[in-house]
Amino acid sequence: MELLIALSIGVLVACGVYLVLRASTFPVVMGLTLLSYATNLFLFAMGRLAIGVPAIVRPDAAGYADPLPQALVLTAIVIAFGMTAFAIVLALKARGETGSDHVDGKGGESS
Amino acid sequence: MMHLPILPILLPLLAGILLLLLRPLGLQVQRMVGFAAAFALLMLAVWLFDSALVGQRQVYALGDWPAPFGITLVFDQLAALMLLVTAILAVGALWYAIVTEIDAQGSHFHVLFQMQLFGLNGAFLTGDAFNLFVFFEVLLLASYSLLLHGGGKERTVAGLHYVVVNLVGSTVFLFALGALYGALGTLNIADMAAKVAALPAEREGLVMAAGLLLLLVFGLKAAMFPLYLWLPAAYARTSAPVAALFAVMTKVGVYAIIRVHGTVFGADAGNLAYFYAPWLLGLGLITLVLAALGVLAAFRLRFQVAYLVLASVAMLLIAVGLHSETGLAAALYYLVHSTLLAGGLFLLADVIVRGRGTYADRFDPGLRLPHHALLGGLFMLAAVAALGLPPLSGFLGKLWILQAALEHPWRWAVLATVLMSSALLLIALARSGSVLFYKVKDHADAADPELPTQIPAFGMSLVAVVWLLAAVPLLVVLAQPVAEIMQQIAAQTLDTAGYRAAVFDPAVGGK
């Protein structure tokens, strides 16, 4: 499971960085989304991976999962959603004002 | 007294919500409420600063959960100083936005302004690395919208770059926090410091990597080399009061480095003690050289001022990178000077722009400005202070930093870079001043369609400029007491054992 999680984080980050560097607003937003997925997985994994153990106190529990990373991931997800929505609106505004979806607003790959 | 540390966070938040509800009543009501809230924040900051100087750290446990389980706010002298500088800057910037009616160019200016203050104050007060991230996001989201306020193509493109760069920065921030949590099992700054002090040797590499990743993020906010490229366009293309308020945003990055790295990787951190300082010093020196070249190469006044902000941040990074008590005290003195000066310069540049009509802030000879003697005098004052020539506060600040550098092994590199870059700034600002004020045309050309004979709301907008630039002579006249206060603040900031004790045992610091 560790290998799988590590691989998923690595692949997500690699794809995210590649897309952000594409310098065209739609891939950039997609890249940011992938990067935020990667951070969420990473934060989650940093609380140590455990299967089937509760995060809240129960009398019959054999062990506990670390609840703090789950709280952090929740906050991070909310913030990432808000920021992505803002980036999309801004990208649309830039597309409308500059007539191009290149992040510099110049020629390039105008759609 | 118990609930005082949370007031600077609650006041702008509640004012922002109130302003949102007041929107149907029109702009005038919003202006009055917004300015009253900013002014009340200033009064509160003055009072808190005064009480911080005589008292000890105050620790506020939200929901009464003791550290390290709950969220803690730590109010100490450094936080109080940052709150005070922010409040002074906010009052000036908001006044300017109101009298020049820049706040009417788009909706929700006043709400966003208060939210920006909410985020800034929160970032200064929090004692928890994850909440630092949350408050960074709050202040960034407000700054994105403020940056775009008023619209326009250039502003949108600069804003898009700023937003994307900062979103990537936030991602890296979370990776750094995740790695630190994985290695240390806590995100409370005081608790992290305690865990690093007792770190097993095999985890040192991981913690160091996470610390450097965190330095990268704070360096991005502070516009440290090589992460400064977003700054000039974003600061030069936004509206003047927003740019003036942003003068403190880069300092938030420097503050976060002092607070987080200074506490977690402080003197008690064993092998990791001050491992970040050489990085800071080296990158600060490179940033300073590039900032000086940028000031020299700028072809517009507002870009030049933006590069001056970069130069001031570079001086701060150098001073913090010296990691001595004198260096930190000098850095704090220079921080107050450069933040208020940069705010004043952005506002002054905007007054000049509005007096030059279609020439705007390009360095082309235009017609003689209205009130040229007064504006020229103020520009000269600000330029001398920014360069670090005697007798103004920039000189004292730079001198103090250089003095602190004399005890450091890299002293010759620091001395040479600072003095050479000051010479470059002198050349650049002398050139721009002479183009703006001396090299003027006698008659309007046919190519100049409309040139103003008067600057609208000149007197009222000058009040804000003078309010911010007044810090420059004041810091000289009061140099002795101010320096003593800065030394006291630096001593308390470097006392990380006291910080930890105050957080874990409220009885120690919570009186």
Side-chain angles (χ1 to χ4, degrees):
Chain A
M1 187 168 67
E2 283 84 354
L3 187 67
L4 199 62
I5 293 267
L7 272 179
S8 342
I9 296 173
V11 170
L12 279 172
V13 170
C15 297
V17 170
Y18 173 76
L19 285 174
V20 167
L21 293 178
R22 293 275 292 159
S24 186
T25 51
F26 182 70
V28 165
V29 171
M30 284 303 293
L32 289 171
T33 315
L34 291 187
L35 278 176
S36 72
Y37 288 161
T39 44
N40 293 342
L41 265 181
F42 182 75
L43 275 184
F44 191 64
M46 276 299 127
R48 305 293 181 269
L49 301 169
I51 297 177
V53 288
I56 48 173
V57 179
R58 254 195 356 215
D60 58 335
Y64 294 104
D66 191 346
L68 192 72
Q70 306 185 9
L72 300 187
V73 169
L74 271 180
T75 317
I77 288 175
V78 173
I79 290 177
F81 270 176
M83 293 298 176
T84 310
F86 187 84
I88 290 172
V89 173
L90 186 59
L92 283 174
K93 184 176 152 77
R95 171 77 180 83
E97 284 189 5
T98 62
S100 148
D101 74 340
H102 192 266
V103 287
D104 284 336
K106 292 169 191 151
E109 319 159 60
S110 55
S111 57
Chain B
M1 207 58 192
M2 264 209 51
H3 292 282
L4 261 184
I6 201 173
L7 273 186
I9 299 180
L10 283 184
L11 178 68
L13 176 65
L14 295 178
I17 295 172
L18 182 67
L19 282 166
L20 201 57
L21 298 176
L22 287 179
R23 197 159 175 246
L25 296 182
L27 195 58
Q28 284 302 334
V29 178
Q30 285 188 55
R31 282 176 175 170
M32 283 193 300
V33 174
F35 191 76
F39 195 75
L41 186 65
L42 176 64
M43 295 291 111
L44 181 67
V46 171
W47 185 40
L48 285 175
F49 186 66
D50 186 51
S51 70
L53 282 187
V54 291
Q56 281 181 312
R57 298 180 181 84
Q58 293 182 42
V59 176
Y60 187 84
L62 281 169
D64 221 4
W65 286 88
F69 303 109
I71 295 168
T72 38
L73 301 178
V74 182
F75 173 72
D76 64 357
Q77 295 177 358
L78 179 62
L81 178 74
M82 298 302 293
L83 288 176
L84 184 63
V85 172
T86 309
I88 295 173
L89 198 63
V91 167
L94 194 58
W95 174 266
Y96 190 89
I98 291 173
V99 295
T100 55
E101 308 206 326
I102 286 173
D103 59 344
Q105 287 173 3
S107 45
H108 295 306
F109 180 87
H110 291 280
V111 179
L112 291 168
F113 198 90
Q114 296 295 332
M115 286 302 157
Q116 174 88 72
L117 292 177
F118 165 57
L120 283 167
N121 290 350
F124 295 141
L125 285 171
T126 183
D128 176 293
F130 192 77
N131 277 285
L132 188 64
F133 166 75
V134 174
F135 280 118
F136 262 57
E137 293 305 307
V138 170
L139 75 89
L140 283 174
L141 192 52
S143 78
Y144 299 156
S145 309
L146 280 177
L147 181 82
L148 295 165
H149 182 80
K153 190 174 148 185
E154 284 196 329
R155 208 168 279 182
T156 306
V157 172
L160 189 63
H161 292 184
Y162 176 74
V163 170
V164 170
V165 165
N166 275 302
L167 286 180
V168 175
S170 305
T171 317
V172 178
F173 200 163
L174 281 177
F175 273 118
L177 289 180
L180 279 174
Y181 184 78
L184 300 174
T186 180
L187 284 174
N188 184 298
I189 295 172
D191 201 23
M192 276 157 78
K195 294 272 164 57
V196 167
L199 194 68
E202 74 265 17
R203 289 232 180 119
E204 269 172 11
L206 179 61
V207 173
M208 191 164 158
L212 283 178
L213 214 53
L214 211 53
L215 190 67
L216 182 84
V217 181
F218 296 150
L220 175 74
K221 314 289 178 202
M224 180 173 77
F225 171 84
L227 305 163
Y228 68 93
L229 291 166
W230 57 271
L231 181 136
Y235 279 38
R237 287 182 174 151
T238 183
S239 58
V242 175
L245 184 65
F246 279 13
V248 78
M249 296 265 288
T250 45
K251 274 66 175 188
V252 179
V254 178
Y255 167 83
I257 292 173
I258 297 175
R259 172 65 82 215
V260 177
H261 286 82
T263 309
V264 177
F265 305 110
D268 305 334
N271 287 343
L272 294 180
Y274 295 116
F275 80 90
Y276 64 95
W279 289 90
L280 216 52
L281 186 53
L283 292 172
L285 289 173
I286 301 174
T287 313
L288 186 59
V289 172
L290 288 168
L293 292 177
V295 172
L296 199 61
F299 50 93
R300 279 166 171 263
L301 180 58
R302 305 236 354 226
F303 273 90
Q304 198 164 46
V305 180
Y307 274 108
L308 281 175
V309 172
L310 193 55
S312 73
V313 169
M315 284 301 295
L316 287 177
L317 292 174
I318 292 170
V320 175
L322 295 170
H323 79 81
S324 64
E325 195 178 309
T326 329
L328 188 58
L332 295 176
Y333 182 88
Y334 199 78
L335 187 145
V336 176
H337 147 82
S338 65
T339 309
L340 297 178
L341 174 69
L345 260 172
F346 273 118
L347 298 184
L348 181 63
D350 193 59
V351 176
I352 294 173
V353 168
R354 287 189 294 129
R356 280 170 54 99
T358 46
Y359 288 107
D361 59 348
R362 273 176 291 133
F363 290 137
D364 290 335
L367 282 182
R368 189 177 289 278
L369 280 170
H371 312 285
H372 53 91
L374 183 56
L375 285 177
L378 281 172
F379 183 81
M380 166 110 177
L381 175 95
V384 166
L387 290 173
L389 285 181
L392 293 177
S393 55
F395 171 70
L396 292 179
K398 275 196 180 169
L399 189 69
W400 202 3
I401 292 176
L402 290 181
Q403 230 168 24
L406 286 180
E407 297 154 17
H408 197 273
W410 294 18
R411 54 183 168 274
W412 296 115
V414 176
L415 280 176
T417 315
V418 171
L419 295 178
M420 284 299 292
S421 68
S422 297
L424 289 181
L425 295 188
L426 175 65
I427 297 167
L429 286 173
R431 184 200 58 167
S432 45
S434 54
V435 170
L436 290 174
F437 297 104
Y438 288 162
K439 206 174 162 190
V440 289
K441 290 191 279 192
D442 295 331
H443 306 288
D445 290 341
D448 308 332
E450 44 177 314
L451 290 177
T453 50
Q454 274 303 321
I455 301 174
F458 178 72
M460 297 293 262
S461 51
L462 217 56
V463 170
V465 177
V466 172
W467 164 260
L468 293 179
L469 288 186
V472 169
L474 273 180
L475 280 173
V476 178
V477 175
L478 301 175
Q480 181 67 28
V482 170
E484 276 164 16
I485 290 173
M486 296 305 169
Q487 244 146 7
Q488 190 189 338
I489 297 175
Q492 196 197 46
T493 308
L494 288 178
D495 172 26
T496 50
Y499 182 88
R500 270 155 49 191
V503 170
F504 286 122
D505 183 7
V508 174
K511 77 170 183 188

